[in-house]
Amino acid sequence: MSAGRLRVVQVARMADVGMVRVAWSAEWSEYQVRATGPGGRLVASYFTDDRADALGTADHMLAELAAAAGLPA
């Protein structure tokens, strides 16, 4: 998927923990959920055609990043 063809739906950032981004691709008719850690390294990537699934997965990824950094979810 080309980054130029994605529309950002949701972004959640936590200082020193990472970021989770949900984007929609009209061309592929699917959502991309990406979790990046400190420094922008890719931690996880997930694709789905269901918006609720994408947003739920994003919440789960953010909680996992916070737990890995020793923060409460």
XYZ file of all heavy atoms in Angstrom:
538
model
N 0.828 -1.171 0.000
C 0.000 0.000 0.000
C 0.873 1.234 0.000
O 1.784 1.340 0.787
C -0.855 0.008 1.260
C -2.313 -0.064 0.996
S -3.229 0.187 2.495
C -3.667 -1.473 2.860
N 0.564 2.154 -0.853
C 1.297 3.406 -0.930
C 0.778 4.368 0.123
O -0.430 4.531 0.280
C 1.138 4.016 -2.313
O 1.677 5.306 -2.342
N 1.684 5.031 0.838
C 1.286 5.967 1.884
C 0.489 7.130 1.310
O -0.336 7.729 1.979
C 2.512 6.472 2.629
N 0.712 7.483 0.057
C -0.010 8.577 -0.555
C -1.475 8.261 -0.801
O -2.272 9.159 -1.052
N -1.865 7.032 -0.743
C -3.246 6.621 -1.011
C -4.012 6.283 0.257
O -5.113 5.754 0.195
C -3.251 5.414 -1.939
C -2.662 5.743 -3.286
C -2.782 4.578 -4.217
N -2.196 4.917 -5.491
C -1.289 4.195 -6.108
N -0.898 3.056 -5.582
N -0.795 4.571 -7.253
N -3.456 6.584 1.411
C -4.107 6.275 2.678
C -4.721 7.523 3.295
O -4.156 8.609 3.219
C -3.099 5.687 3.672
C -2.457 4.364 3.273
C -1.434 3.957 4.310
C -3.498 3.283 3.112
N -5.889 7.365 3.899
C -6.532 8.451 4.636
C -6.485 8.079 6.115
O -7.015 7.031 6.520
C -7.983 8.607 4.187
C -8.704 9.754 4.877
C -10.102 9.928 4.322
N -10.916 8.740 4.436
C -11.743 8.480 5.447
N -11.847 9.322 6.453
N -12.457 7.378 5.459
N -5.853 8.916 6.917
C -5.712 8.620 8.339
C -7.071 8.730 9.010
O -7.799 9.702 8.833
C -4.690 9.569 9.005
C -4.652 9.354 10.503
C -3.306 9.355 8.407
N -7.404 7.700 9.783
C -8.672 7.632 10.494
C -8.473 7.972 11.966
O -9.253 8.704 12.564
C -9.299 6.218 10.358
C -10.561 6.091 11.185
C -9.569 5.905 8.901
N -7.396 7.463 12.556
C -7.131 7.675 13.977
C -5.635 7.548 14.226
O -4.978 6.686 13.647
C -7.881 6.628 14.811
C -7.586 6.670 16.279
C -8.326 5.569 17.039
O -9.316 5.027 16.575
N -7.837 5.232 18.194
N -5.110 8.420 15.101
C -3.717 8.333 15.522
C -3.696 8.483 17.037
O -4.332 9.382 17.583
C -2.841 9.437 14.882
C -1.429 9.397 15.441
C -2.817 9.308 13.376
N -2.973 7.607 17.704
C -2.773 7.704 19.155
C -1.278 7.632 19.418
O -0.616 6.710 18.958
C -3.501 6.580 19.868
N -0.764 8.636 20.138
C 0.667 8.678 20.454
C 0.867 8.762 21.960
O 0.122 9.448 22.645
C 1.321 9.906 19.826
C 1.306 9.879 18.341
C 1.926 11.114 17.782
N 1.599 11.148 16.365
C 2.165 11.920 15.499
N 3.090 12.754 15.878
N 1.820 11.890 14.234
N 1.881 8.069 22.433
C 2.270 8.144 23.832
C 3.763 8.428 23.860
O 4.554 7.691 23.253
C 1.960 6.835 24.560
C 0.481 6.527 24.639
S 0.134 4.980 25.491
C 0.500 5.432 27.163
N 4.129 9.491 24.554
C 5.536 9.880 24.630
C 6.383 8.729 25.153
O 6.014 8.059 26.113
C 5.690 11.097 25.535
N 7.501 8.480 24.511
C 8.470 7.439 24.887
C 7.908 6.019 24.819
O 8.522 5.089 25.308
C 9.052 7.691 26.283
C 9.770 9.019 26.378
O 10.421 9.400 25.390
O 9.678 9.670 27.429
N 6.725 5.849 24.247
C 6.119 4.523 24.138
C 5.938 4.140 22.675
O 6.346 3.079 22.248
C 4.756 4.463 24.879
C 4.054 3.150 24.617
C 4.967 4.680 26.367
N 5.316 5.016 21.903
C 5.103 4.736 20.492
C 3.826 5.348 19.975
O 3.227 6.217 20.604
N 3.413 4.862 18.818
C 2.246 5.404 18.143
C 1.489 4.276 17.454
O 2.082 3.323 16.961
C 2.704 6.423 17.092
C 1.591 6.981 16.252
S 2.141 8.210 15.046
C 2.863 7.142 13.809
N 0.173 4.410 17.425
C -0.683 3.496 16.674
C -1.505 4.343 15.705
O -2.126 5.327 16.113
C -1.611 2.678 17.602
C -2.530 1.793 16.785
C -0.782 1.833 18.556
N -1.484 3.954 14.437
C -2.190 4.700 13.402
C -3.135 3.767 12.656
O -2.768 2.654 12.299
C -1.187 5.288 12.413
C -1.849 6.080 11.302
C -0.850 6.469 10.266
N -0.526 5.263 9.489
C 0.058 5.284 8.311
N 0.454 6.406 7.785
N 0.301 4.165 7.666
N -4.358 4.256 12.426
C -5.330 3.539 11.617
C -5.554 4.377 10.358
O -5.837 5.565 10.447
C -6.677 3.349 12.353
C -7.671 2.613 11.468
C -6.470 2.604 13.664
N -5.400 3.755 9.194
C -5.595 4.455 7.934
C -6.472 3.613 7.014
O -6.460 2.385 7.077
C -4.247 4.733 7.274
N -7.225 4.310 6.146
C -8.128 3.663 5.194
C -7.562 3.791 3.791
O -7.106 4.860 3.395
C -9.497 4.312 5.256
C -10.414 3.932 4.136
C -10.777 4.719 3.084
C -11.073 2.681 3.945
N -11.631 4.033 2.254
C -11.829 2.767 2.763
C -11.094 1.480 4.653
C -12.599 1.721 2.283
C -11.865 0.444 4.173
C -12.600 0.563 3.012
N -7.586 2.710 3.046
C -7.191 2.722 1.642
C -8.429 2.468 0.791
O -8.977 1.361 0.812
C -6.150 1.638 1.356
O -5.967 1.502 -0.038
N -8.874 3.495 0.057
C -10.037 3.321 -0.820
C -9.692 2.384 -1.976
O -10.535 1.617 -2.436
C -10.495 4.670 -1.359
N -8.442 2.442 -2.413
C -8.014 1.584 -3.518
C -8.083 0.107 -3.143
O -8.490 -0.737 -3.934
C -6.593 1.950 -3.933
C -6.066 1.134 -5.096
C -4.663 1.554 -5.526
O -4.224 2.654 -5.187
O -4.026 0.741 -6.200
N -7.683 -0.212 -1.926
C -7.659 -1.615 -1.487
C -8.901 -1.987 -0.686
O -9.091 -3.150 -0.330
C -6.415 -1.865 -0.642
C -5.160 -1.755 -1.431
C -4.434 -0.620 -1.667
C -4.481 -2.795 -2.125
N -3.345 -0.903 -2.450
C -3.349 -2.232 -2.748
C -4.721 -4.154 -2.289
C -2.460 -2.990 -3.510
C -3.836 -4.899 -3.043
C -2.722 -4.310 -3.645
N -9.718 -0.998 -0.336
C -10.926 -1.200 0.480
C -10.613 -1.926 1.781
O -11.282 -2.890 2.160
C -11.995 -1.983 -0.300
O -12.419 -1.248 -1.410
N -9.577 -1.420 2.460
C -9.225 -2.004 3.753
C -8.530 -0.978 4.634
O -8.039 0.044 4.170
C -8.371 -3.251 3.596
C -6.994 -3.031 3.050
C -6.227 -4.340 2.890
O -6.768 -5.420 3.115
O -5.055 -4.252 2.544
N -8.537 -1.300 5.920
C -7.874 -0.478 6.922
C -6.510 -1.077 7.217
O -6.345 -2.294 7.225
C -8.685 -0.440 8.226
C -9.985 0.297 8.085
C -11.137 -0.368 7.693
C -10.049 1.657 8.326
C -12.340 0.305 7.549
C -11.248 2.342 8.184
C -12.380 1.660 7.802
O -13.561 2.333 7.653
N -5.557 -0.196 7.483
C -4.227 -0.624 7.909
C -4.009 -0.079 9.315
O -4.197 1.118 9.556
C -3.144 -0.077 6.990
C -1.752 -0.466 7.442
C -0.668 0.260 6.662
O -0.772 1.451 6.406
N 0.360 -0.463 6.300
N -3.639 -0.945 10.235
C -3.324 -0.546 11.604
C -1.836 -0.785 11.791
O -1.356 -1.901 11.585
C -4.133 -1.367 12.639
C -3.865 -0.861 14.038
C -5.618 -1.337 12.320
N -1.102 0.268 12.146
C 0.351 0.158 12.329
C 0.736 0.633 13.717
O 0.312 1.703 14.143
C 1.099 1.015 11.317
C 1.065 0.480 9.929
C 1.787 1.397 8.977
N 3.139 1.679 9.436
C 4.232 1.353 8.781
N 4.142 0.755 7.626
N 5.413 1.640 9.256
N 1.533 -0.153 14.393
C 2.075 0.235 15.696
C 3.577 0.430 15.531
O 4.266 -0.444 14.995
C 1.798 -0.839 16.738
N 4.059 1.594 15.955
C 5.488 1.874 15.909
C 5.974 2.205 17.308
O 5.257 2.824 18.098
C 5.817 3.041 14.957
O 5.049 4.181 15.324
C 5.507 2.680 13.510
N 7.172 1.769 17.592
C 7.765 2.030 18.887
C 8.582 3.310 18.868
O 8.566 4.059 17.894
N 9.315 3.561 19.950
C 10.169 4.736 19.996
C 11.136 4.746 18.805
O 11.641 3.706 18.398
C 10.925 4.579 21.315
C 10.044 3.709 22.146
C 9.377 2.777 21.176
N 11.329 5.909 18.230
C 12.218 6.016 17.079
C 11.549 5.639 15.766
O 12.180 5.627 14.724
N 10.267 5.273 15.811
C 9.528 4.962 14.601
C 9.685 3.551 14.071
O 9.233 3.242 12.984
N 10.311 2.654 14.843
C 10.475 1.278 14.354
C 9.117 0.570 14.348
O 8.316 0.699 15.267
C 11.487 0.509 15.180
C 11.058 0.223 16.579
C 12.087 -0.615 17.352
N 11.704 -0.714 18.735
C 10.775 -1.526 19.201
N 10.142 -2.331 18.396
N 10.469 -1.544 20.485
N 8.854 -0.172 13.286
C 7.599 -0.892 13.142
C 7.533 -2.049 14.135
O 8.436 -2.876 14.200
C 7.452 -1.423 11.712
C 6.156 -2.153 11.387
C 4.969 -1.209 11.510
C 6.223 -2.748 10.007
N 6.480 -2.086 14.917
C 6.280 -3.146 15.899
C 5.262 -4.159 15.372
O 5.456 -5.362 15.488
C 5.797 -2.559 17.247
C 5.481 -3.666 18.241
C 6.832 -1.606 17.812
N 4.171 -3.655 14.784
C 3.129 -4.548 14.263
C 2.351 -3.838 13.164
O 2.244 -2.617 13.154
C 2.176 -4.957 15.381
N 1.812 -4.628 12.257
C 0.980 -4.115 11.175
C -0.160 -5.105 10.958
O 0.054 -6.319 11.002
C 1.816 -3.961 9.901
O 1.072 -3.360 8.882
N -1.361 -4.586 10.744
C -2.542 -5.431 10.624
C -3.455 -4.838 9.559
O -3.612 -3.620 9.473
C -3.252 -5.472 11.983
C -4.522 -6.270 12.024
C -4.506 -7.655 11.952
C -5.757 -5.653 12.160
C -5.673 -8.394 12.003
C -6.941 -6.373 12.220
C -6.887 -7.751 12.137
O -8.043 -8.479 12.193
N -4.068 -5.676 8.753
C -4.978 -5.240 7.696
C -6.339 -5.901 7.888
O -6.409 -7.089 8.193
C -4.435 -5.622 6.315
C -3.131 -4.960 5.985
C -1.926 -5.557 6.325
C -3.114 -3.738 5.340
C -0.727 -4.951 6.027
C -1.924 -3.114 5.034
C -0.718 -3.721 5.377
N -7.406 -5.117 7.691
C -8.760 -5.637 7.803
C -9.703 -4.759 6.974
O -9.409 -3.589 6.744
C -9.235 -5.680 9.269
O -10.547 -6.236 9.326
C -9.235 -4.318 9.912
N -10.831 -5.312 6.585
C -11.815 -4.514 5.863
C -12.927 -4.019 6.782
O -13.857 -3.363 6.340
C -12.402 -5.295 4.686
C -13.150 -6.546 5.112
O -13.124 -6.880 6.314
O -13.753 -7.193 4.255
N -12.818 -4.287 8.074
C -13.839 -3.924 9.047
C -13.344 -2.791 9.952
O -12.340 -2.945 10.641
C -14.204 -5.159 9.881
C -15.300 -4.871 10.867
O -16.470 -4.918 10.469
O -14.971 -4.579 12.038
N -14.057 -1.671 9.953
C -13.636 -0.497 10.730
C -13.599 -0.789 12.231
O -12.654 -0.413 12.923
C -14.570 0.676 10.440
C -14.176 1.952 11.159
C -15.177 3.071 10.867
N -14.861 4.265 11.600
C -14.247 5.312 11.089
N -13.897 5.320 9.832
N -14.001 6.364 11.833
N -14.631 -1.443 12.750
C -14.667 -1.750 14.186
C -13.492 -2.650 14.572
O -12.884 -2.460 15.635
C -15.993 -2.407 14.544
N -13.174 -3.613 13.737
C -12.027 -4.487 13.977
C -10.732 -3.684 13.983
O -9.876 -3.879 14.847
C -11.979 -5.586 12.919
C -10.860 -6.579 13.135
O -10.499 -6.855 14.300
O -10.326 -7.079 12.131
N -10.598 -2.760 13.045
C -9.390 -1.938 12.967
C -9.228 -1.084 14.217
O -8.133 -1.015 14.798
C -9.431 -1.049 11.729
N -10.304 -0.437 14.659
C -10.222 0.424 15.841
C -9.996 -0.393 17.117
O -9.246 0.016 18.006
C -11.479 1.282 15.951
C -11.670 2.290 14.814
C -13.007 3.002 14.947
C -10.522 3.282 14.754
N -10.621 -1.567 17.210
C -10.386 -2.442 18.361
C -8.958 -2.952 18.408
O -8.339 -3.014 19.471
N -8.433 -3.301 17.248
C -7.037 -3.752 17.169
C -6.089 -2.624 17.547
O -5.104 -2.852 18.246
C -6.728 -4.275 15.753
O -7.589 -5.375 15.475
C -5.290 -4.720 15.631
N -6.399 -1.409 17.127
C -5.569 -0.253 17.485
C -5.550 -0.051 18.997
O -4.486 0.192 19.585
C -6.078 1.001 16.787
N -6.713 -0.163 19.643
C -6.772 -0.043 21.107
C -5.918 -1.108 21.777
O -5.186 -0.833 22.734
C -8.211 -0.154 21.597
C -9.051 1.064 21.266
O -8.476 2.110 20.899
O -10.292 0.958 21.358
N -6.010 -2.338 21.266
C -5.227 -3.442 21.828
C -3.727 -3.195 21.641
O -2.938 -3.408 22.566
C -5.645 -4.762 21.181
C -4.882 -5.932 21.677
N -5.098 -6.497 22.914
C -3.865 -6.638 21.122
C -4.259 -7.501 23.083
N -3.501 -7.608 22.010
N -3.330 -2.741 20.443
C -1.910 -2.466 20.186
C -1.391 -1.371 21.106
O -0.271 -1.466 21.626
C -1.695 -2.066 18.725
C -1.784 -3.201 17.742
S -1.469 -2.564 16.074
C -1.561 -4.073 15.114
N -2.185 -0.323 21.321
C -1.759 0.761 22.204
C -1.590 0.271 23.635
O -0.618 0.616 24.318
C -2.760 1.916 22.142
C -2.317 3.205 22.809
C -1.033 3.739 22.192
C -3.417 4.243 22.721
N -2.510 -0.569 24.094
C -2.403 -1.139 25.438
C -1.154 -2.009 25.562
O -0.465 -1.983 26.593
C -3.657 -1.946 25.763
N -0.838 -2.778 24.521
C 0.358 -3.623 24.536
C 1.637 -2.785 24.561
O 2.595 -3.120 25.258
C 0.367 -4.564 23.330
C -0.680 -5.653 23.388
C -0.438 -6.633 24.524
O 0.736 -6.993 24.781
O -1.422 -7.038 25.166
N 1.662 -1.690 23.795
C 2.829 -0.798 23.819
C 3.015 -0.195 25.204
O 4.141 -0.128 25.721
C 2.671 0.337 22.797
C 2.884 -0.011 21.329
C 2.529 1.185 20.453
C 4.335 -0.419 21.080
N 1.909 0.229 25.822
C 1.977 0.812 27.160
C 2.447 -0.219 28.187
O 3.300 0.080 29.037
C 0.609 1.361 27.560
N 1.937 -1.430 28.086
C 2.351 -2.487 29.018
C 3.825 -2.816 28.860
O 4.544 -3.021 29.845
C 1.493 -3.731 28.815
N 4.293 -2.858 27.613
C 5.703 -3.145 27.369
C 6.609 -2.049 27.929
O 7.745 -2.312 28.316
C 5.956 -3.307 25.872
N 6.070 -0.825 28.015
C 6.854 0.288 28.562
C 6.678 0.407 30.074
O 7.242 1.287 30.711
C 6.419 1.592 27.902
N 5.874 -0.502 30.666
C 5.673 -0.501 32.109
C 4.608 0.460 32.580
O 4.531 0.782 33.759
N 3.750 0.930 31.676
C 2.674 1.844 32.034
C 1.368 1.071 32.173
O 1.158 0.079 31.491
C 2.505 2.912 30.954
C 3.713 3.791 30.676
C 3.437 4.703 29.489
C 4.048 4.617 31.904
N 0.453 1.562 33.022
C -0.850 0.898 33.106
C -1.636 1.124 31.827
O -1.540 2.176 31.205
C -1.535 1.586 34.297
C -0.823 2.886 34.457
C 0.580 2.673 33.929
N -2.403 0.135 31.435
C -3.180 0.230 30.180
C -4.376 1.141 30.330
O -4.895 1.380 31.340
C -3.633 -1.162 29.750
